[in-house]
């Protein structure tokens, strides 16, 4: 797959604008999916348009792993959370271009305006399958202009081939959305002696 264009750090201001917050409110979008005490990933977090809302939703017992391939984006997010009550719930993680690089299992992954920038969607979905807990969910939100219906359907199909189940995503202003879940029965904690 050809190298994709990555949103430059100079565009961070427009990603994190008040106007966007009015039409794509992260709290409203994410509230149905992010619960207290969850461990969640904000993949391709950029300057953190959604990160603080996710941290607020997971509460003091939860954690948000904010990942980005660009150190400049993570620096902007660090500056934003520094000294706030939410700082200790947020872990910043630098991904590399083809690898999220997280070992622990998580309940939820948000990929907001990110998947069309990924260098290799096949390996992304394989990694998502490995990272998600059983019943865990991946919410993909893509922009309408950069991503055609055909490309979006292809993304969904790659996710399904990796083993994810598809559910309807939430309505998000000017966006295409899909919710993908890792199936399977949650195992009870069995005591072995
Ligand atoms: C259009 S921005 C969206 C940022 C944020 N999710 C939002 O909605 O404001 C896409 C972000 O994905 C990041 N990105 C691109 N490829 C990535 C990869 N392979 N792994 C992690 N982040 C990536 C970019 O650096 C950029 O910050």
């Amino acid at each position: 797959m050809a190298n994709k264009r990555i949103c430059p750090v100079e565009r961070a201001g427009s990603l994190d604008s008040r106007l966007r917050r009015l039409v794509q409110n992260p709290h409203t979008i994410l509230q149905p999916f992010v619960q207290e005490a969850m461990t969640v990933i904000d993949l391709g977090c950029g300057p953190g348009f959604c990160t603080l809302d996710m941290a607020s939703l997971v509460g003091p017992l939860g954690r948000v792993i904010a990942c980005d391939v660009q150190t400049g984006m993570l620096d902007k997010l660090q500056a934003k959370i520094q000294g706030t009550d939410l700082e200790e719930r947020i872990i910043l993680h630098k991904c590399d271009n083809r690898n999220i690089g997280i070992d622990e299992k998580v309940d939820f992954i948000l990929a907001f305006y990110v998947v069309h920038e990924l260098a290799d969607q096949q390996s992304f979905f394989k990694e998502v399958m490995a990272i998600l807990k059983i019943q865990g969910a991946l919410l993909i939100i893509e922009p309408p202009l950069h991503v055609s219906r055909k490309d979006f359907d292809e993304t969904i199909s790659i996710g399904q081939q990796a083993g994810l189940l598809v559910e309807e995503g939430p309505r998000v202003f000017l966006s295409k959305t899909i919710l993908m879940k890792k199936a399977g029965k949650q195992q009870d904690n069995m005591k072995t002696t």
Side-chain angles (χ1 to χ4, degrees):
M1 211 177 273
N3 270 348
K4 305 281 178 70
R5 189 177 166 275
I6 288 180
C7 178
V9 176
E10 295 70 48
R11 279 208 48 217
S14 64
L15 287 172
D16 209 8
S17 73
R18 282 195 195 165
L19 176 64
R20 184 177 175 204
R21 196 162 285 275
L22 278 180
V23 293
Q24 296 182 335
N25 186 271
H27 187 91
T28 310
I29 296 169
L30 296 168
Q31 197 173 27
F33 311 105
V34 180
Q35 267 101 53
E36 289 264 339
M38 279 186 166
T39 299
V40 301
I41 292 179
D42 185 3
L43 180 73
C45 58
F49 176 65
C50 293
T51 315
L52 279 77
D53 290 272
M54 292 172 89
S56 162
L57 286 165
V58 297
L61 300 177
R63 272 177 316 141
V64 181
I65 307 171
C67 310
D68 207 286
V69 77
Q70 298 185 84
T71 310
M73 290 293 195
L74 293 173
D75 290 345
K76 289 202 178 286
L77 176 55
Q78 176 59 42
K80 200 164 127 180
I81 62 176
Q82 191 123 27
T84 69
D85 292 350
L86 299 175
E87 186 179 8
E88 61 181 22
R89 302 179 200 170
I90 299 172
I91 298 156
L92 304 189
H93 173 81
K94 164 95 171 59
C95 302
D96 70 44
N97 205 19
R98 290 177 179 270
N99 199 351
I100 304 170
I102 288 171
D103 294 327
E104 69 181 295
K105 299 272 185 188
V106 304
D107 300 280
F108 176 78
I109 302 173
L110 172 69
F112 202 151
Y113 287 5
V114 178
V115 172
H116 64 283
E117 294 190 6
L118 297 178
D120 183 345
Q121 291 191 15
Q122 262 101 356
S123 68
F124 163 70
F125 281 111
K126 264 191 206 154
E127 210 178 348
V128 164
M129 278 296 282
I131 294 172
L132 275 183
K133 293 181 187 172
I134 300 288
Q135 308 286 353
L138 163 70
L139 176 60
I140 297 177
I141 306 175
E142 289 282 72
L145 298 179
H146 298 61
V147 180
S148 66
R149 186 72 243 176
K150 182 169 168 283
D151 287 347
F152 193 60
D153 287 344
E154 193 179 330
T155 290
I156 294 170
S157 157
I158 298 169
Q160 286 176 308
Q161 282 162 31
L164 289 162
L165 302 181
V166 169
E167 288 185 17
E168 197 176 332
R171 276 172 181 265
V172 177
F173 184 69
L174 280 185
S175 304
K176 296 182 173 73
T177 75
I178 191 85
L179 185 70
M180 305 193 92
K181 282 198 174 159
K182 180 166 167 175
K185 279 194 182 156
Q186 209 125 32
Q187 290 207 327
D188 293 324
N189 280 342
M190 284 169 56
K191 228 180 181 182
T192 49
T193 47

